Structure formats: C-alpha cells, structure tokens
C-alpha cells in the first residue's frame, strides 16, 4: 500500500484524540456549558485510556456526553468544535447517520478542513465499505473540487474498489478546456499513487487542452513521474518563455535532462535559479541546495565514465548477459575489472536459476527497480569492492546489488537493482557492477508486478569461479561452501564461462 492509502486507514478513535487537542487549544468558549463539556470529555478520555471505562460503562458515558453535546448544538449550531465532538462520539458508537450529519455540518462550515474530511472517509474505508467512502469523497470534492488530499484519497480508494472508475471519472472532469483546474488536480493526485496511468491520461488531457500552460506543466510532471523524461522535456520546451523561468519549472526541466545524461544543460538550468526567489518555498529550496552540488558532481564524473566506456568498447573482458523482463530483453555489460567478486556472485546465482521468474519487489520511478529475494533466500551478503581509482559511479542504467543496511558496506544481497536515474549520492557507498547497454526503455517502462523472467549469459571471460561471500556468522567463505550447506551437500562451484 502507498502512503496515501495508509493515511486513509485512520482509526476513528483518533477523532476523539484530535478533539481533545482541539478543545485544549481553545481560548474562548460560547458559555460555561462548553467548559463543562470540555472537562467531561477530557475525563472520559482519561478513564478510557486508563482502562477505567470499558464495555457498557464506556458506551453509556459516551452516549451521555453525546446527548449533552446535542443540547449544546441546538443553541449553537455553528460551533465547529461541538460538531467535531459529535462526530467523534458517533464514530465510536457506530452511528453512521449521526457521524455523517456531524461531519457534513463541519465541512459545510469549513470546506478546507481536510483532516476532518479524510477522517470521515476513513471511517468507512476502515470498515471496508469503499463504495460509501467514495460517496463521502465525492461529496467533499463538490465542496473543495481542487483539493489534492481529497483527490489523492479518492484515486487510491477507487483503484482498490474498481480501477475502471479512474478513467470514467476523469472524463467527467474535462468540461471547459479554458478552466482545467479539476482534471489537473485529479492527475496531480494520481501521479503519486499510479504514475503510469496518470501519464496515459495526461495524453488525453493534452489533446483536450493542448495550449493551456498549466496543462502542459501537469502533463510534463506526469511523464517525469513515469520515467518518460525525454517526452517531458519536449513538452517543457513548448511552454511560454516566462514560464520556463519559474523555479519549479526550471527544476523539472533540469531533472528531465539530467536523467538522460545531458549533465551540462541540466546543471546550467538549475544553477540559473535564483535562490532568493524561492525563500517562500522551503521544500523546493532544500531540494535545490541538495541537488545542485550533485548535478556538478555528476557532470565531472560523467567525463571519466565516458572515457572508461570508450576504452572498453572493443574489449571482450567484460561479461555480457541478457535479462528478460515481462517478455522484453535487456542487455547488461558487467564490470569484471572493477567489481570481479560481485560479478562472479551474480553469474553464479544466475547459473543456479535463482533469478528465474523473480518478481520486482519495488518500482521506484525516477530512481530504481529492485528484485525481490531469490527463491532460495541466500544466507550470505557480499563484501564491498570499492577502490577510489577503479570503482564505477551511478548513472542511468547502472546495475548494483540491493544493500540491506546502508550503514554496513558489506550488507549487499543478491537482489538486483536497475537504476532509471543517475544517483551520485550513492557513489562510493556500494558497488556498481554493470550497466544497461540495450533496453533501457524496458527498464523505465516497468510497472508494479513486473517480473524478471530469466538471465541468459552471453559472454563470460575468465573471472573468479567461486566468489567470496559473508555467511550469517560474519565469516568470509567461498560461495559454494555456503550454498552447499544450504542445499544439503549437493551444490557445486559454479563455472562462470558459458
């Protein structure tokens, strides 16, 4: 589940906790009856938390408080805090009609009370009544039609309940091409939970409103989120000149060029952003200050990488393999000179057939894809192979092993990592033992549920046959010994040659 879905699954008990915090923060009240209600609510909360009120006594106390609160609301129908107390109690008591009435009143008084709205929808999501949760979110979106939080909750819930709702709902939002705020909000939210579908729908949005600057930006962001960097950059170039100067647009443009190793252009664009102009956007400012030095680092490292690739163009020293992902081939060159032990371990694992029909456990668009654990979860890790002069850096298409514990350089597993995007922040922390030479588009098009179907060794020159691994006791031993114990004495040292 994504972070947005986790956010939806908020237990209704937090409504009461949230109410207690709200009541404690109030400086003024309509009359002393509210003070008494507040005091009583806090007492009940304390006794519930201490286990004094349980079962029927807990229910009776809450029902009594609810009745007193209703009397108060009869005279003060515009008191948002009293309605929130009502919603909290009704949620605990399982009175859906009362809960709906209370939260509907809150949202009509304050349509931007996002937390209350999400808790309302969460009440039904937690009970697996997703159709009712969608009804609530639809009602909330009528009040606040461009709320990204509400749309995020809606798209996640709809995807879980009935994915076909995504396409049909999106079509209903495209009404006035001159005012595309609603479909833009919809796609912006969807980009977080399902960037691939969002990119597909972005094509429809662009066809419907091809010249609106906000549509261009939304579609470009969606393409970038789905690893379609060149397409995103092409759209950005069509934006008005003044828009290209906006810090957020310049950052996005730099990102898209950077992904395809156009490092000088990416650095020039990012370094042109006026830091003083984004003081009001601390999130963007932090990202910029973090990324700008990395842009320069990647630019310098790329020159070295290009020289190494040129030197190795006609060499037959490096092994070549073809991996198949969802029926599509991807070819890899393995760096036998820079990471011989890791290369040997990868080839030995491939020869055992442990990479066959292996699902990818994580597709992190704009970063990397990681396979799950192999069918025979290997009881070892790989020692780090880092040399200041020989180690390769992380670029788009780099191949490494997943590291279980970044604080421990010897914690790399046999889980394959394929990088969609340069990652200079990882340079010098783990091994790059190969790169994609063909099929980068396949790597970038991967979606959740992708499977590594097979590994075919095309070429493997002389390299160590039996790699060294670190067993569960922390001892460095030949891989064949460790795997032999796992297999009950039937494993043989792998031959790296095809």
């Amino acid at each position: 589940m994504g972070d947005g879905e986790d956010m939806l699954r908020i237990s209704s008990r937090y409504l009461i906790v949230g109410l207690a915090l709200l009541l404690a923060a109030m400086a003024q009240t309509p009359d002393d009856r509210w003070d008494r209600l507040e005091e009583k609510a806090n007492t009940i909360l304390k006794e519930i938390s201490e286990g004094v009120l349980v079962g029927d006594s807990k229910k009776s106390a809450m029902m009594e408080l609810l009745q007193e609160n209703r009397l108060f609301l009869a005279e003060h129908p515009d008191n948002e805090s009293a309605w929130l107390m009502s919603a909290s109690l009704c949620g605990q008591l399982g009175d859906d009609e009362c809960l709906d009435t209370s939260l509907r009143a809150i949202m009509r008084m304050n349509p931007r009370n996002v937390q209350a709205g999400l808790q309302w929808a969460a009440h039904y999501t937690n009970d697996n009544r997703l159709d009712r949760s969608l009804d609530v979110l639809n009602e909330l979106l009528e009040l606040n039609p461009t709320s990204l939080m509400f749309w995020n909750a809606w798209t996640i819930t709809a995807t879980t309940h009935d994915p076909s709702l995504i396409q049909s709902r999106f079509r209903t939002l495209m009404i006035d091409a001159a005012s595309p705020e609603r479909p833009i909000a919809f796609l912006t939210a969807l980009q977080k939970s399902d960037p691939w579908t969002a990119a597909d729908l972005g094509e429809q949005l662009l066809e419907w409103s091809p010249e609106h600057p906000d549509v261009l930006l939304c579609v470009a962001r969606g393409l970038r989120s789905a690893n379609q960097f060149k397409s995103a950059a092409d759209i950005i170039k069509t934006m008005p000149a003044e828009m290209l100067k906006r810090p957020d647009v310049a950052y996005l443009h730099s990102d898209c060029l950077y992904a395809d190793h156009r490092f000088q252009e990416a650095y020039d664009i990012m370094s042109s952003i006026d830091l003083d102009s984004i003081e009001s956007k601390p999130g963007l400012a932090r990202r910029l200050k973090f990324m700008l030095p990395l842009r320069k680092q990647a630019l310098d490292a790329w020159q070295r990488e290009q020289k190494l690739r040129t030197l190795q163009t006609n060499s037959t020293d490096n092994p070549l393999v073809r991996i198949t992902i969802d029926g599509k081939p991807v070819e890899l060159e393995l760096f036998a000179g820079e990471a011989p032990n890791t290369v040997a371990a990868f080839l030995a694992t491939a020869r055992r057939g442990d990479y066959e029909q292996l699902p990818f456990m994580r597709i992190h668009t704009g970063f990397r894809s990681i396979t799950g654990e192999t069918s025979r979860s290997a009881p070892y890790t790989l020692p780090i192979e880092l040399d200041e002069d020989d180690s390769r850096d992380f670029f788009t298409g780099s191949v490494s092993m997943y590291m279980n514990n970044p604080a421990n350089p010897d914690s790399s597993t046999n889980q394959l990592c394929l990088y969609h995007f340069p990652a200079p922040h990882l340079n010098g922390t783990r091994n790059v033992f190969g790169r994609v030479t063909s099929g980068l588009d396949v790597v970038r098009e991967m979606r959740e549920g992708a499977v590594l179907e097979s590994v075919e060794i095309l070429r493997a020159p002389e390299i160590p046959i039996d790699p060294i691994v670190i067993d569960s006791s922390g001892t460095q031993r030949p891989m064949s010994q460790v795997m032999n114990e796992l297999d009950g004495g039937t494993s043989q040292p792998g031959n790296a040659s095809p």
Side-chain angles (χ1 to χ4, degrees):
M1 295 182 184
D3 292 340
E5 188 165 358
D6 291 336
M7 174 192 65
L8 277 180
R9 300 191 177 278
I10 303 171
S11 171
S12 58
R13 69 176 179 272
Y14 290 116
L15 286 169
I16 291 185
V17 175
L19 172 60
L21 294 174
L22 178 62
L23 295 177
M26 291 186 62
Q28 296 182 353
T29 56
D31 56 41
D32 60 356
R33 282 181 301 166
W34 183 253
D35 293 333
R36 292 195 298 272
L37 277 174
E38 177 186 3
E39 183 179 355
K40 189 167 186 175
N42 286 328
T43 299
I44 290 174
L45 283 170
K46 184 173 183 293
E47 291 181 350
I48 290 174
S49 66
E50 293 175 348
V52 176
L53 288 176
V54 294
D56 290 341
S57 62
K58 173 184 172 181
K59 182 177 180 180
S60 295
M62 288 193 295
M63 290 185 68
E64 182 179 332
L65 180 61
L66 178 61
Q67 185 58 37
E68 292 182 33
N69 187 57
R70 283 173 173 166
L71 293 174
F72 178 84
L73 279 169
E75 296 186 23
H76 304 283
D78 295 328
N79 187 283
E80 186 175 350
S81 299
W83 281 115
L84 184 54
M85 176 183 280
S86 177
S88 303
L89 293 167
C90 294
Q92 284 286 298
L93 294 167
D95 188 337
D96 291 347
E97 184 178 354
C98 172
L99 175 76
D100 291 347
T101 299
S102 302
L103 283 164
R104 188 171 287 117
I106 292 169
M107 297 310 300
R108 286 176 178 169
M109 285 188 285
N110 182 6
R112 297 191 178 278
N113 190 337
V114 174
Q115 183 180 9
L118 291 175
Q119 289 172 331
W120 185 8
H123 173 79
Y124 295 104
T125 301
N126 293 340
D127 200 30
N128 204 31
R129 287 184 282 171
L130 300 186
D131 52 347
R132 179 64 189 126
S133 180
L134 287 171
D135 289 341
V136 168
L137 289 165
N138 285 330
E139 188 172 334
L140 294 171
L141 285 163
E142 286 299 315
L143 296 171
N144 194 347
T146 59
S147 168
L148 294 182
M149 296 293 282
F150 290 159
W151 276 123
N152 186 50
W154 190 94
T155 55
I156 291 170
T157 306
T159 300
T160 304
H161 182 56
D162 179 2
S164 68
L165 293 173
I166 297 293
Q167 176 75 254
S168 59
R169 182 61 188 275
F170 181 67
R171 290 197 194 100
T172 67
L173 301 176
M174 293 190 293
I175 300 172
D176 181 3
S179 300
E181 293 81 10
R182 290 193 182 193
I184 286 176
F186 179 97
L187 284 189
T188 301
L190 187 61
Q191 287 163 9
K192 299 181 183 300
S193 59
D194 187 354
W196 307 281
T197 299
D200 294 341
L201 294 180
E203 295 181 8
Q204 299 179 30
L205 182 65
L206 191 61
E207 183 177 350
W208 174 67
S209 182
E211 298 181 0
H212 197 290
D214 292 338
V215 168
L216 295 175
L217 181 56
C218 175
V219 173
R221 283 175 172 157
L223 291 169
R224 187 256 182 263
S225 295
N227 284 339
Q228 299 180 42
F229 303 104
K230 185 179 184 303
S231 297
D234 289 343
I235 288 178
I236 292 170
K237 287 188 295 187
T238 68
M239 294 179 181
E242 285 304 309
M243 194 171 185
L244 291 174
K245 296 177 183 178
R246 277 176 39 181
D248 58 329
V249 176
Y251 188 102
L252 176 64
H253 193 191
S254 174
D255 245 16
C256 295
L257 299 175
Y258 181 74
D260 285 335
H261 296 162
R262 295 167 65 178
F263 294 119
Q264 186 65 62
E265 295 169 84
Y267 177 74
D268 290 344
I269 290 172
M270 184 169 282
S271 60
S272 70
I273 298 175
D274 182 6
L275 290 175
D276 293 336
S277 69
I278 57 174
E279 287 184 353
S280 62
K281 300 178 179 179
L284 178 60
R286 282 194 301 270
R287 293 199 304 274
L288 183 62
K289 290 175 182 178
F290 174 75
M291 291 302 302
L292 188 57
L294 292 179
R295 293 285 195 267
K296 183 64 169 65
Q297 180 182 337
L299 175 60
D300 295 338
W302 181 236
Q303 297 175 6
R304 172 178 175 270
E305 177 69 15
Q306 286 181 301
K307 291 178 181 178
L308 288 172
R309 293 185 183 187
T310 300
L311 289 173
Q312 295 176 350
T313 298
N314 297 318
S315 172
T316 58
D317 292 339
N318 283 340
L320 301 177
V321 301
R322 179 185 295 119
I323 65 176
T324 301
I325 300 173
D326 293 337
K328 300 176 183 178
V330 177
E331 294 191 2
L332 311 178
E333 176 188 10
L334 307 182
F335 301 145
E338 294 90 340
N341 194 69
T342 307
V343 169
F346 171 75
L347 291 174
T349 304
R351 285 194 170 280
R352 289 170 58 88
D354 289 351
Y355 286 122
E356 293 182 5
Q357 301 303 318
L358 183 63
F360 281 82
M361 72 170 186
R362 189 176 307 157
I363 310 293
H364 188 169
T365 57
F367 185 27
R368 65 185 178 183
S369 296
I370 309 170
T371 63
E373 294 184 359
T374 57
S375 55
R376 287 171 286 192
S377 184
Y380 65 79
T381 59
L382 298 173
I384 196 75
E385 298 179 273
L386 288 179
D387 183 280
E388 187 173 340
D389 295 325
D390 292 336
S391 298
R392 303 291 280 260
D393 293 329
F394 283 84
F395 296 98
T396 296
S398 288
V399 182
S400 73
M401 294 295 194
Y402 179 65
M403 185 175 282
N404 272 332
N405 178 10
N408 178 6
D410 293 329
S411 66
S412 290
T413 66
N414 59 9
Q415 294 172 251
L416 201 62
C417 296
L418 305 175
Y419 285 77
H420 320 147
F421 198 80
H425 62 290
L426 299 180
N427 292 346
T429 66
R430 60 202 73 189
N431 293 126
V432 173
F433 75 93
R435 71 182 181 96
V436 174
T437 57
S438 174
L440 180 61
D441 57 328
V442 176
V443 174
R444 284 180 165 174
E445 289 170 1
M446 291 167 60
R447 301 190 178 197
E448 296 293 343
V451 174
L452 172 58
E453 297 174 349
S454 63
V455 177
E456 178 186 0
I457 300 174
L458 304 177
R459 181 180 76 197
E462 292 298 324
I463 59 174
I465 293 176
D466 202 358
I468 299 299
V469 300
I470 303 171
D471 67 16
S472 56
S473 70
T475 303
Q476 292 198 8
R477 300 164 58 196
M479 180 179 179
S480 62
Q481 289 184 9
V482 176
M483 299 309 292
N484 201 42
E485 294 171 1
L486 179 67
D487 295 339
T490 61
S491 180
Q492 298 296 322
N495 189 339
S497 300

